[in-house]
Amino acid sequence: MEDFKMKIALACDHGGYDLKMAIIAHLEKRGIEVMDLGTNNATDSVNYPEYGEAAALKVANGEADCGILVCGTGIGISLAANKVPGIRCAVVSDTFSARMTKAHNNANMLAMGGRVVGPGLALDIVDAYLDTEFEGGRHQTRVDMLMDIEKKYTK
């Protein structure tokens, strides 16, 4: 049987480029396959919704196991990702929230602000998120409720 190798979709705007590159290096050291969906520099201003959507589509269609997004605050790019059906993306600035968003909300994407968290904390947040398992149980009921809300308004 072949070993499972996790694949993560990463995307950022210009405000998150430097942090995205640090996260990519960290993930590769962990042996995780990275799908880098851009942007490719910190100097050219780009539109975060395009990058949030691109990564969210990779997660939603199963090409990636989960996704990590970075913009200046993490807010805008997470809002874009959350418009894609099936995506539960949380903006996180601490390790406790990173663990809880996976354990209780089964978030399939994580967003951070390149102008909010430094690289050391960001890598700890990534590890906390990736190393936490969804608890299921009563939390599954709540995640199902979230998805029912989405289905009700998605035609």
Side-chain angles (χ1 to χ4, degrees):
M1 181 187 238
E2 192 175 311
D3 288 336
F4 171 77
K5 183 170 184 174
M6 180 178 275
K7 186 184 294 187
I8 299 179
L10 263 84
C12 68
D13 72 356
H14 52 282
Y17 176 77
D18 292 335
L19 187 55
K20 180 194 75 165
M21 297 311 294
I23 292 169
I24 288 172
H26 180 71
L27 293 174
E28 288 175 344
K29 284 181 191 171
R30 285 188 58 162
I32 295 171
E33 186 176 342
V34 174
M35 299 173 71
D36 182 355
L37 301 167
T39 193
N40 298 314
N41 68 65
T43 56
D44 297 333
S45 181
V46 298
N47 298 313
Y48 60 80
E50 296 172 17
Y51 295 92
E53 179 186 20
L57 287 171
K58 297 292 185 186
V59 175
N61 72 21
E63 290 181 59
D65 299 299
C66 63
I68 299 174
L69 303 172
V70 189
C71 69
T73 62
I75 297 168
I77 203 163
S78 72
L79 291 172
N82 279 317
K83 297 297 182 185
V84 175
I87 295 303
R88 292 176 306 282
C89 182
V91 181
V92 175
S93 298
D94 62 89
T95 56
F96 178 78
S97 296
R99 287 190 303 275
M100 291 300 101
T101 200
K102 179 70 87 56
H104 290 187
N105 309 120
N106 202 18
N108 50 14
M109 296 190 80
L110 184 70
M112 290 180 282
R115 297 175 182 144
V116 177
V117 297
L121 176 57
L123 301 183
D124 287 347
I125 288 169
V126 166
D127 288 342
Y129 171 77
L130 293 177
D131 296 340
T132 299
E133 296 291 325
F134 177 53
E135 292 178 8
R138 72 183 190 276
H139 304 294
Q140 182 62 59
T141 301
R142 294 165 185 159
V143 170
D144 291 343
M145 291 172 76
L146 289 172
M147 301 317 293
D148 287 345
I149 293 168
E150 178 179 274
K151 287 177 192 166
K152 185 172 21 174
Y153 296 101
T154 305
K155 304 291 181 213

